[in-house]
PDB file of all heavy atoms in Angstrom:
ATOM      1  N   ILE C   1      15.771  40.500  -7.601  1.00  0.00           N
ATOM      2  CA  ILE C   1      17.040  41.294  -7.417  1.00  0.00           C
ATOM      3  C   ILE C   1      18.007  40.617  -6.473  1.00  0.00           C
ATOM      4  O   ILE C   1      19.215  40.587  -6.748  1.00  0.00           O
ATOM      5  CB  ILE C   1      16.668  42.721  -6.931  1.00  0.00           C
ATOM      6  CG1 ILE C   1      16.023  43.501  -8.067  1.00  0.00           C
ATOM      7  CG2 ILE C   1      17.857  43.395  -6.377  1.00  0.00           C
ATOM      8  CD1 ILE C   1      15.434  44.846  -7.662  1.00  0.00           C
ATOM      9  N   SER C   2      17.422  40.086  -5.376  1.00  0.00           N
ATOM     10  CA  SER C   2      18.360  39.331  -4.444  1.00  0.00           C
ATOM     11  C   SER C   2      19.022  38.153  -5.117  1.00  0.00           C
ATOM     12  O   SER C   2      20.251  38.005  -4.962  1.00  0.00           O
ATOM     13  CB  SER C   2      17.492  38.859  -3.273  1.00  0.00           C
ATOM     14  OG  SER C   2      18.251  38.161  -2.305  1.00  0.00           O
ATOM     15  N   GLN C   3      18.335  37.388  -5.910  1.00  0.00           N
ATOM     16  CA  GLN C   3      18.984  36.292  -6.647  1.00  0.00           C
ATOM     17  C   GLN C   3      19.969  36.768  -7.599  1.00  0.00           C
ATOM     18  O   GLN C   3      21.064  36.184  -7.623  1.00  0.00           O
ATOM     19  CB  GLN C   3      17.801  35.448  -7.357  1.00  0.00           C
ATOM     20  CG  GLN C   3      16.955  34.713  -6.398  1.00  0.00           C
ATOM     21  CD  GLN C   3      15.740  34.065  -7.196  1.00  0.00           C
ATOM     22  OE1 GLN C   3      15.316  34.582  -8.196  1.00  0.00           O
ATOM     23  NE2 GLN C   3      15.243  32.978  -6.698  1.00  0.00           N
ATOM     24  N   LEU C   4      19.659  37.744  -8.344  1.00  0.00           N
ATOM     25  CA  LEU C   4      20.606  38.259  -9.378  1.00  0.00           C
ATOM     26  C   LEU C   4      21.830  38.845  -8.749  1.00  0.00           C
ATOM     27  O   LEU C   4      22.921  38.587  -9.207  1.00  0.00           O
ATOM     28  CB  LEU C   4      19.900  39.280 -10.198  1.00  0.00           C
ATOM     29  CG  LEU C   4      18.851  38.800 -11.198  1.00  0.00           C
ATOM     30  CD1 LEU C   4      18.022  39.948 -11.697  1.00  0.00           C
ATOM     31  CD2 LEU C   4      19.498  38.081 -12.325  1.00  0.00           C
ATOM     32  N   ARG C   5      21.678  39.568  -7.593  1.00  0.00           N
ATOM     33  CA  ARG C   5      22.852  40.138  -6.949  1.00  0.00           C
ATOM     34  C   ARG C   5      23.763  39.022  -6.439  1.00  0.00           C
ATOM     35  O   ARG C   5      25.013  39.072  -6.612  1.00  0.00           O
ATOM     36  CB  ARG C   5      22.392  41.008  -5.749  1.00  0.00           C
ATOM     37  CG  ARG C   5      21.866  42.369  -6.210  1.00  0.00           C
ATOM     38  CD  ARG C   5      21.511  43.199  -5.042  1.00  0.00           C
ATOM     39  NE  ARG C   5      22.583  43.499  -4.125  1.00  0.00           N
ATOM     40  CZ  ARG C   5      23.481  44.513  -4.322  1.00  0.00           C
ATOM     41  NH1 ARG C   5      23.330  45.342  -5.285  1.00  0.00           N
ATOM     42  NH2 ARG C   5      24.469  44.619  -3.438  1.00  0.00           N
ATOM     43  N   GLY C   6      23.196  37.936  -5.891  1.00  0.00           N
ATOM     44  CA  GLY C   6      23.944  36.846  -5.429  1.00  0.00           C
ATOM     45  C   GLY C   6      24.707  36.156  -6.603  1.00  0.00           C
ATOM     46  O   GLY C   6      25.880  35.785  -6.452  1.00  0.00           O
ATOM     47  N   HIS C   7      24.045  35.981  -7.712  1.00  0.00           N
ATOM     48  CA  HIS C   7      24.661  35.406  -8.905  1.00  0.00           C
ATOM     49  C   HIS C   7      25.782  36.287  -9.423  1.00  0.00           C
ATOM     50  O   HIS C   7      26.897  35.724  -9.752  1.00  0.00           O
ATOM     51  CB  HIS C   7      23.641  35.208  -9.973  1.00  0.00           C
ATOM     52  CG  HIS C   7      22.601  34.138  -9.728  1.00  0.00           C
ATOM     53  ND1 HIS C   7      22.806  33.043  -8.951  1.00  0.00           N
ATOM     54  CD2 HIS C   7      21.312  33.993 -10.190  1.00  0.00           C
ATOM     55  CE1 HIS C   7      21.699  32.304  -8.902  1.00  0.00           C
ATOM     56  NE2 HIS C   7      20.799  32.829  -9.632  1.00  0.00           N
ATOM     57  N   VAL C   8      25.576  37.552  -9.480  1.00  0.00           N
ATOM     58  CA  VAL C   8      26.612  38.449  -9.953  1.00  0.00           C
ATOM     59  C   VAL C   8      27.759  38.410  -8.990  1.00  0.00           C
ATOM     60  O   VAL C   8      28.924  38.383  -9.446  1.00  0.00           O
ATOM     61  CB  VAL C   8      26.073  39.880 -10.126  1.00  0.00           C
ATOM     62  CG1 VAL C   8      27.128  40.924 -10.413  1.00  0.00           C
ATOM     63  CG2 VAL C   8      25.041  39.923 -11.268  1.00  0.00           C
ATOM     64  N   GLU C   9      27.569  38.443  -7.709  1.00  0.00           N
ATOM     65  CA  GLU C   9      28.621  38.467  -6.761  1.00  0.00           C
ATOM     66  C   GLU C   9      29.468  37.180  -6.922  1.00  0.00           C
ATOM     67  O   GLU C   9      30.718  37.225  -6.869  1.00  0.00           O
ATOM     68  CB  GLU C   9      28.089  38.569  -5.330  1.00  0.00           C
ATOM     69  CG  GLU C   9      27.556  39.966  -5.066  1.00  0.00           C
ATOM     70  CD  GLU C   9      26.795  40.032  -3.691  1.00  0.00           C
ATOM     71  OE1 GLU C   9      26.581  38.987  -3.108  1.00  0.00           O
ATOM     72  OE2 GLU C   9      26.366  41.134  -3.326  1.00  0.00           O
ATOM     73  N   LEU C  10      28.797  36.053  -7.105  1.00  0.00           N
ATOM     74  CA  LEU C  10      29.524  34.752  -7.271  1.00  0.00           C
ATOM     75  C   LEU C  10      30.332  34.784  -8.579  1.00  0.00           C
ATOM     76  O   LEU C  10      31.507  34.402  -8.588  1.00  0.00           O
ATOM     77  CB  LEU C  10      28.585  33.602  -7.194  1.00  0.00           C
ATOM     78  CG  LEU C  10      29.216  32.256  -7.507  1.00  0.00           C
ATOM     79  CD1 LEU C  10      30.230  31.886  -6.493  1.00  0.00           C
ATOM     80  CD2 LEU C  10      28.198  31.131  -7.560  1.00  0.00           C
ATOM     81  N   MET C  11      29.673  35.366  -9.583  1.00  0.00           N
ATOM     82  CA  MET C  11      30.442  35.271 -10.944  1.00  0.00           C
ATOM     83  C   MET C  11      31.615  36.259 -10.975  1.00  0.00           C
ATOM     84  O   MET C  11      32.609  36.001 -11.628  1.00  0.00           O
ATOM     85  CB  MET C  11      29.445  35.575 -12.058  1.00  0.00           C
ATOM     86  CG  MET C  11      28.538  34.421 -12.358  1.00  0.00           C
ATOM     87  SD  MET C  11      29.390  32.812 -12.609  1.00  0.00           S
ATOM     88  CE  MET C  11      30.223  33.062 -14.213  1.00  0.00           C
ATOM     89  N   VAL C  12      31.491  37.331 -10.189  1.00  0.00           N
ATOM     90  CA  VAL C  12      32.653  38.212 -10.037  1.00  0.00           C
ATOM     91  C   VAL C  12      33.804  37.508  -9.456  1.00  0.00           C
ATOM     92  O   VAL C  12      34.996  37.635  -9.950  1.00  0.00           O
ATOM     93  CB  VAL C  12      32.327  39.515  -9.175  1.00  0.00           C
ATOM     94  CG1 VAL C  12      33.505  40.261  -8.702  1.00  0.00           C
ATOM     95  CG2 VAL C  12      31.369  40.451 -10.023  1.00  0.00           C
ATOM     96  N   THR C  13      33.585  36.697  -8.408  1.00  0.00           N
ATOM     97  CA  THR C  13      34.729  35.956  -7.781  1.00  0.00           C
ATOM     98  C   THR C  13      35.200  34.867  -8.702  1.00  0.00           C
ATOM     99  O   THR C  13      36.392  34.441  -8.575  1.00  0.00           O
ATOM    100  CB  THR C  13      34.269  35.348  -6.417  1.00  0.00           C
ATOM    101  OG1 THR C  13      33.263  34.358  -6.679  1.00  0.00           O
ATOM    102  CG2 THR C  13      33.820  36.433  -5.484  1.00  0.00           C
ATOM    103  N   GLU C  14      34.368  34.371  -9.598  1.00  0.00           N
ATOM    104  CA  GLU C  14      34.805  33.324 -10.595  1.00  0.00           C
ATOM    105  C   GLU C  14      35.568  33.893 -11.670  1.00  0.00           C
ATOM    106  O   GLU C  14      36.546  33.274 -12.207  1.00  0.00           O
ATOM    107  CB  GLU C  14      33.620  32.525 -11.106  1.00  0.00           C
ATOM    108  CG  GLU C  14      32.871  31.671 -10.085  1.00  0.00           C
ATOM    109  CD  GLU C  14      33.618  30.470  -9.641  1.00  0.00           C
ATOM    110  OE1 GLU C  14      34.366  29.875 -10.520  1.00  0.00           O
ATOM    111  OE2 GLU C  14      33.568  30.061  -8.521  1.00  0.00           O
ATOM    112  N   VAL C  15      35.109  35.006 -12.227  1.00  0.00           N
ATOM    113  CA  VAL C  15      35.731  35.617 -13.442  1.00  0.00           C
ATOM    114  C   VAL C  15      37.001  36.432 -13.144  1.00  0.00           C
ATOM    115  O   VAL C  15      37.895  36.434 -13.962  1.00  0.00           O
ATOM    116  CB  VAL C  15      34.666  36.492 -14.200  1.00  0.00           C
ATOM    117  CG1 VAL C  15      35.311  37.263 -15.353  1.00  0.00           C
ATOM    118  CG2 VAL C  15      33.550  35.651 -14.689  1.00  0.00           C
ATOM    119  N   GLU C  16      37.066  36.981 -11.935  1.00  0.00           N
ATOM    120  CA  GLU C  16      38.202  37.823 -11.616  1.00  0.00           C
ATOM    121  C   GLU C  16      39.573  37.108 -11.753  1.00  0.00           C
ATOM    122  O   GLU C  16      40.441  37.674 -12.468  1.00  0.00           O
ATOM    123  CB  GLU C  16      38.049  38.350 -10.192  1.00  0.00           C
ATOM    124  CG  GLU C  16      38.985  39.427  -9.884  1.00  0.00           C
ATOM    125  CD  GLU C  16      38.638  40.096  -8.531  1.00  0.00           C
ATOM    126  OE1 GLU C  16      38.259  39.427  -7.597  1.00  0.00           O
ATOM    127  OE2 GLU C  16      38.669  41.309  -8.493  1.00  0.00           O
ATOM    128  N   PRO C  17      39.810  35.886 -11.247  1.00  0.00           N
ATOM    129  CA  PRO C  17      41.092  35.309 -11.441  1.00  0.00           C
ATOM    130  C   PRO C  17      41.273  34.863 -12.908  1.00  0.00           C
ATOM    131  O   PRO C  17      42.436  34.929 -13.377  1.00  0.00           O
ATOM    132  CB  PRO C  17      41.035  33.954 -10.591  1.00  0.00           C
ATOM    133  CG  PRO C  17      39.604  33.794 -10.141  1.00  0.00           C
ATOM    134  CD  PRO C  17      38.938  35.132 -10.354  1.00  0.00           C
ATOM    135  N   LEU C  18      40.243  34.530 -13.616  1.00  0.00           N
ATOM    136  CA  LEU C  18      40.391  34.186 -15.065  1.00  0.00           C
ATOM    137  C   LEU C  18      40.838  35.448 -15.893  1.00  0.00           C
ATOM    138  O   LEU C  18      41.662  35.324 -16.770  1.00  0.00           O
ATOM    139  CB  LEU C  18      39.072  33.641 -15.654  1.00  0.00           C
ATOM    140  CG  LEU C  18      38.614  32.340 -15.032  1.00  0.00           C
ATOM    141  CD1 LEU C  18      37.227  31.983 -15.501  1.00  0.00           C
ATOM    142  CD2 LEU C  18      39.568  31.196 -15.346  1.00  0.00           C
ATOM    143  N   ALA C  19      40.264  36.571 -15.568  1.00  0.00           N
ATOM    144  CA  ALA C  19      40.546  37.854 -16.204  1.00  0.00           C
ATOM    145  C   ALA C  19      42.057  38.187 -15.927  1.00  0.00           C
ATOM    146  O   ALA C  19      42.765  38.625 -16.778  1.00  0.00           O
ATOM    147  CB  ALA C  19      39.673  38.965 -15.778  1.00  0.00           C
ATOM    148  N   ALA C  20      42.487  38.016 -14.687  1.00  0.00           N
ATOM    149  CA  ALA C  20      43.852  38.337 -14.284  1.00  0.00           C
ATOM    150  C   ALA C  20      44.824  37.404 -14.996  1.00  0.00           C
ATOM    151  O   ALA C  20      45.889  37.853 -15.486  1.00  0.00           O
ATOM    152  CB  ALA C  20      44.013  38.148 -12.834  1.00  0.00           C
ATOM    153  N   GLU C  21      44.416  36.089 -15.111  1.00  0.00           N
ATOM    154  CA  GLU C  21      45.287  35.140 -15.902  1.00  0.00           C
ATOM    155  C   GLU C  21      45.411  35.469 -17.322  1.00  0.00           C
ATOM    156  O   GLU C  21      46.443  35.214 -17.931  1.00  0.00           O
ATOM    157  CB  GLU C  21      44.645  33.768 -15.694  1.00  0.00           C
ATOM    158  CG  GLU C  21      45.405  32.627 -16.267  1.00  0.00           C
ATOM    159  CD  GLU C  21      44.678  31.248 -16.074  1.00  0.00           C
ATOM    160  OE1 GLU C  21      44.052  31.136 -14.997  1.00  0.00           O
ATOM    161  OE2 GLU C  21      44.787  30.474 -17.002  1.00  0.00           O
ATOM    162  N   HIS C  22      44.452  36.107 -17.904  1.00  0.00           N
ATOM    163  CA  HIS C  22      44.396  36.417 -19.300  1.00  0.00           C
ATOM    164  C   HIS C  22      44.498  37.905 -19.532  1.00  0.00           C
ATOM    165  O   HIS C  22      44.023  38.430 -20.546  1.00  0.00           O
ATOM    166  CB  HIS C  22      43.186  35.914 -20.051  1.00  0.00           C
ATOM    167  CG  HIS C  22      43.018  34.410 -19.987  1.00  0.00           C
ATOM    168  ND1 HIS C  22      42.504  33.706 -18.977  1.00  0.00           N
ATOM    169  CD2 HIS C  22      43.459  33.548 -20.870  1.00  0.00           C
ATOM    170  CE1 HIS C  22      42.528  32.444 -19.225  1.00  0.00           C
ATOM    171  NE2 HIS C  22      43.130  32.279 -20.350  1.00  0.00           N
ATOM    172  N   ALA C  23      45.118  38.634 -18.588  1.00  0.00           N
ATOM    173  CA  ALA C  23      45.125  40.114 -18.603  1.00  0.00           C
ATOM    174  C   ALA C  23      45.794  40.631 -19.884  1.00  0.00           C
ATOM    175  O   ALA C  23      45.438  41.785 -20.325  1.00  0.00           O
ATOM    176  CB  ALA C  23      45.865  40.672 -17.380  1.00  0.00           C
ATOM    177  N   ALA C  24      46.779  40.002 -20.454  1.00  0.00           N
ATOM    178  CA  ALA C  24      47.420  40.505 -21.636  1.00  0.00           C
ATOM    179  C   ALA C  24      46.663  40.279 -22.933  1.00  0.00           C
ATOM    180  O   ALA C  24      47.078  40.720 -23.974  1.00  0.00           O
ATOM    181  CB  ALA C  24      48.812  39.836 -21.762  1.00  0.00           C
ATOM    182  N   SER C  25      45.551  39.621 -22.895  1.00  0.00           N
ATOM    183  CA  SER C  25      44.750  39.369 -24.107  1.00  0.00           C
ATOM    184  C   SER C  25      43.537  40.204 -24.162  1.00  0.00           C
ATOM    185  O   SER C  25      43.054  40.794 -23.129  1.00  0.00           O
ATOM    186  CB  SER C  25      44.325  37.893 -24.090  1.00  0.00           C
ATOM    187  OG  SER C  25      43.374  37.607 -23.135  1.00  0.00           O
ATOM    188  N   LEU C  26      42.929  40.310 -25.318  1.00  0.00           N
ATOM    189  CA  LEU C  26      41.674  41.091 -25.433  1.00  0.00           C
ATOM    190  C   LEU C  26      40.549  40.475 -24.605  1.00  0.00           C
ATOM    191  O   LEU C  26      39.807  41.246 -23.992  1.00  0.00           O
ATOM    192  CB  LEU C  26      41.317  41.195 -26.985  1.00  0.00           C
ATOM    193  CG  LEU C  26      40.072  42.010 -27.202  1.00  0.00           C
ATOM    194  CD1 LEU C  26      40.143  43.427 -26.740  1.00  0.00           C
ATOM    195  CD2 LEU C  26      39.730  41.971 -28.703  1.00  0.00           C
ATOM    196  N   PRO C  27      40.350  39.179 -24.692  1.00  0.00           N
ATOM    197  CA  PRO C  27      39.236  38.608 -23.852  1.00  0.00           C
ATOM    198  C   PRO C  27      39.455  38.881 -22.348  1.00  0.00           C
ATOM    199  O   PRO C  27      38.531  39.173 -21.628  1.00  0.00           O
ATOM    200  CB  PRO C  27      39.308  37.124 -24.150  1.00  0.00           C
ATOM    201  CG  PRO C  27      39.948  36.987 -25.540  1.00  0.00           C
ATOM    202  CD  PRO C  27      40.941  38.154 -25.585  1.00  0.00           C
ATOM    203  N   GLY C  28      40.708  38.864 -21.926  1.00  0.00           N
ATOM    204  CA  GLY C  28      41.018  39.200 -20.482  1.00  0.00           C
ATOM    205  C   GLY C  28      40.705  40.698 -20.144  1.00  0.00           C
ATOM    206  O   GLY C  28      40.102  40.928 -19.121  1.00  0.00           O
ATOM    207  N   ALA C  29      41.021  41.569 -21.063  1.00  0.00           N
ATOM    208  CA  ALA C  29      40.731  42.972 -20.865  1.00  0.00           C
ATOM    209  C   ALA C  29      39.220  43.284 -20.893  1.00  0.00           C
ATOM    210  O   ALA C  29      38.760  44.070 -20.080  1.00  0.00           O
ATOM    211  CB  ALA C  29      41.437  43.759 -21.954  1.00  0.00           C
ATOM    212  N   LEU C  30      38.515  42.629 -21.788  1.00  0.00           N
ATOM    213  CA  LEU C  30      37.085  42.799 -21.861  1.00  0.00           C
ATOM    214  C   LEU C  30      36.446  42.246 -20.566  1.00  0.00           C
ATOM    215  O   LEU C  30      35.505  42.859 -20.028  1.00  0.00           O
ATOM    216  CB  LEU C  30      36.510  42.122 -23.080  1.00  0.00           C
ATOM    217  CG  LEU C  30      36.900  42.706 -24.425  1.00  0.00           C
ATOM    218  CD1 LEU C  30      36.408  41.759 -25.578  1.00  0.00           C
ATOM    219  CD2 LEU C  30      36.360  44.065 -24.531  1.00  0.00           C
ATOM    220  N   ALA C  31      36.925  41.133 -20.114  1.00  0.00           N
ATOM    221  CA  ALA C  31      36.378  40.604 -18.831  1.00  0.00           C
ATOM    222  C   ALA C  31      36.636  41.511 -17.673  1.00  0.00           C
ATOM    223  O   ALA C  31      35.760  41.702 -16.791  1.00  0.00           O
ATOM    224  CB  ALA C  31      37.000  39.199 -18.589  1.00  0.00           C
ATOM    225  N   ALA C  32      37.872  42.101 -17.603  1.00  0.00           N
ATOM    226  CA  ALA C  32      38.171  43.098 -16.592  1.00  0.00           C
ATOM    227  C   ALA C  32      37.211  44.257 -16.655  1.00  0.00           C
ATOM    228  O   ALA C  32      36.762  44.763 -15.557  1.00  0.00           O
ATOM    229  CB  ALA C  32      39.619  43.528 -16.655  1.00  0.00           C
ATOM    230  N   ALA C  33      36.974  44.802 -17.791  1.00  0.00           N
ATOM    231  CA  ALA C  33      35.962  45.906 -17.882  1.00  0.00           C
ATOM    232  C   ALA C  33      34.606  45.473 -17.462  1.00  0.00           C
ATOM    233  O   ALA C  33      33.903  46.280 -16.805  1.00  0.00           O
ATOM    234  CB  ALA C  33      35.974  46.358 -19.333  1.00  0.00           C
ATOM    235  N   CYS C  34      34.205  44.315 -17.772  1.00  0.00           N
ATOM    236  CA  CYS C  34      32.871  43.750 -17.354  1.00  0.00           C
ATOM    237  C   CYS C  34      32.817  43.628 -15.806  1.00  0.00           C
ATOM    238  O   CYS C  34      31.780  43.956 -15.136  1.00  0.00           O
ATOM    239  CB  CYS C  34      32.601  42.472 -17.996  1.00  0.00           C
ATOM    240  SG  CYS C  34      30.948  41.782 -17.638  1.00  0.00           S
ATOM    241  N   LEU C  35      33.966  43.227 -15.180  1.00  0.00           N
ATOM    242  CA  LEU C  35      33.974  43.119 -13.765  1.00  0.00           C
ATOM    243  C   LEU C  35      33.807  44.508 -13.069  1.00  0.00           C
ATOM    244  O   LEU C  35      33.060  44.591 -12.103  1.00  0.00           O
ATOM    245  CB  LEU C  35      35.369  42.568 -13.261  1.00  0.00           C
ATOM    246  CG  LEU C  35      35.546  41.057 -13.568  1.00  0.00           C
ATOM    247  CD1 LEU C  35      37.015  40.656 -13.445  1.00  0.00           C
ATOM    248  CD2 LEU C  35      34.634  40.243 -12.624  1.00  0.00           C
ATOM    249  N   GLY C  36      34.400  45.555 -13.660  1.00  0.00           N
ATOM    250  CA  GLY C  36      34.214  46.860 -13.137  1.00  0.00           C
ATOM    251  C   GLY C  36      32.745  47.331 -13.263  1.00  0.00           C
ATOM    252  O   GLY C  36      32.162  47.888 -12.297  1.00  0.00           O
ATOM    253  N   GLU C  37      32.132  46.989 -14.462  1.00  0.00           N
ATOM    254  CA  GLU C  37      30.751  47.306 -14.619  1.00  0.00           C
ATOM    255  C   GLU C  37      29.823  46.553 -13.654  1.00  0.00           C
ATOM    256  O   GLU C  37      28.859  47.069 -13.060  1.00  0.00           O
ATOM    257  CB  GLU C  37      30.287  47.013 -16.048  1.00  0.00           C
ATOM    258  CG  GLU C  37      28.909  47.440 -16.377  1.00  0.00           C
ATOM    259  CD  GLU C  37      28.641  48.913 -16.302  1.00  0.00           C
ATOM    260  OE1 GLU C  37      29.616  49.713 -16.378  1.00  0.00           O
ATOM    261  OE2 GLU C  37      27.481  49.326 -16.193  1.00  0.00           O
ATOM    262  N   ALA C  38      30.125  45.252 -13.421  1.00  0.00           N
ATOM    263  CA  ALA C  38      29.347  44.458 -12.471  1.00  0.00           C
ATOM    264  C   ALA C  38      29.469  45.081 -11.034  1.00  0.00           C
ATOM    265  O   ALA C  38      28.399  45.142 -10.353  1.00  0.00           O
ATOM    266  CB  ALA C  38      29.869  43.040 -12.448  1.00  0.00           C
ATOM    267  N   ARG C  39      30.627  45.528 -10.653  1.00  0.00           N
ATOM    268  CA  ARG C  39      30.750  46.069  -9.353  1.00  0.00           C
ATOM    269  C   ARG C  39      30.000  47.392  -9.215  1.00  0.00           C
ATOM    270  O   ARG C  39      29.404  47.673  -8.169  1.00  0.00           O
ATOM    271  CB  ARG C  39      32.259  46.361  -9.013  1.00  0.00           C
ATOM    272  CG  ARG C  39      32.941  45.011  -8.754  1.00  0.00           C
ATOM    273  CD  ARG C  39      34.417  45.299  -8.253  1.00  0.00           C
ATOM    274  NE  ARG C  39      35.062  44.094  -8.095  1.00  0.00           N
ATOM    275  CZ  ARG C  39      35.940  43.497  -8.930  1.00  0.00           C
ATOM    276  NH1 ARG C  39      36.225  44.083 -10.095  1.00  0.00           N
ATOM    277  NH2 ARG C  39      36.513  42.374  -8.652  1.00  0.00           N
ATOM    278  N   ARG C  40      29.986  48.201 -10.330  1.00  0.00           N
ATOM    279  CA  ARG C  40      29.227  49.420 -10.241  1.00  0.00           C
ATOM    280  C   ARG C  40      27.686  49.161 -10.164  1.00  0.00           C
ATOM    281  O   ARG C  40      26.955  49.822  -9.463  1.00  0.00           O
ATOM    282  CB  ARG C  40      29.481  50.273 -11.496  1.00  0.00           C
ATOM    283  CG  ARG C  40      30.799  51.027 -11.486  1.00  0.00           C
ATOM    284  CD  ARG C  40      31.027  51.955 -12.613  1.00  0.00           C
ATOM    285  NE  ARG C  40      31.196  51.262 -13.880  1.00  0.00           N
ATOM    286  CZ  ARG C  40      32.333  50.723 -14.320  1.00  0.00           C
ATOM    287  NH1 ARG C  40      33.409  50.798 -13.537  1.00  0.00           N
ATOM    288  NH2 ARG C  40      32.402  50.239 -15.519  1.00  0.00           N
ATOM    289  N   LYS C  41      27.306  48.097 -10.813  1.00  0.00           N
ATOM    290  CA  LYS C  41      25.846  47.760 -10.762  1.00  0.00           C
ATOM    291  C   LYS C  41      25.525  47.249  -9.375  1.00  0.00           C
ATOM    292  O   LYS C  41      24.429  47.627  -8.847  1.00  0.00           O
ATOM    293  CB  LYS C  41      25.554  46.616 -11.783  1.00  0.00           C
ATOM    294  CG  LYS C  41      25.784  47.008 -13.187  1.00  0.00           C
ATOM    295  CD  LYS C  41      24.493  47.402 -13.910  1.00  0.00           C
ATOM    296  CE  LYS C  41      24.750  47.614 -15.365  1.00  0.00           C
ATOM    297  NZ  LYS C  41      25.315  48.878 -15.723  1.00  0.00           N
ATOM    298  N   LEU C  42      26.338  46.505  -8.728  1.00  0.00           N
ATOM    299  CA  LEU C  42      26.113  46.063  -7.332  1.00  0.00           C
ATOM    300  C   LEU C  42      26.090  47.211  -6.412  1.00  0.00           C
ATOM    301  O   LEU C  42      25.212  47.275  -5.573  1.00  0.00           O
ATOM    302  CB  LEU C  42      27.162  45.038  -6.944  1.00  0.00           C
ATOM    303  CG  LEU C  42      27.124  43.663  -7.619  1.00  0.00           C
ATOM    304  CD1 LEU C  42      28.339  42.853  -7.272  1.00  0.00           C
ATOM    305  CD2 LEU C  42      25.827  42.922  -7.219  1.00  0.00           C
TER     306      LEU C  42
END
């Protein structure tokens, strides 16, 4: 769990700017939804 939490936290910081950059596209919107889900899981 500790390893997974660290990985998720790192990937949130990596995906967040990419999702913002592509916010107007479907892939960007899906990534933004996934970021919200990741934060809820954390």
Side-chain angles (χ1 to χ4, degrees):
I1 286 171
S2 179
Q3 290 171 330
L4 289 165
R5 285 181 61 86
H7 292 332
V8 170
E9 289 168 356
L10 176 61
M11 287 309 289
V12 163
T13 65
E14 292 288 327
V15 173
E16 194 168 42
L18 296 171
E21 183 180 325
H22 296 88
S25 69
L26 180 60
L30 292 172
C34 185
L35 287 165
E37 185 63 21
R39 288 186 182 99
R40 283 188 291 280
K41 299 260 188 281
L42 290 170

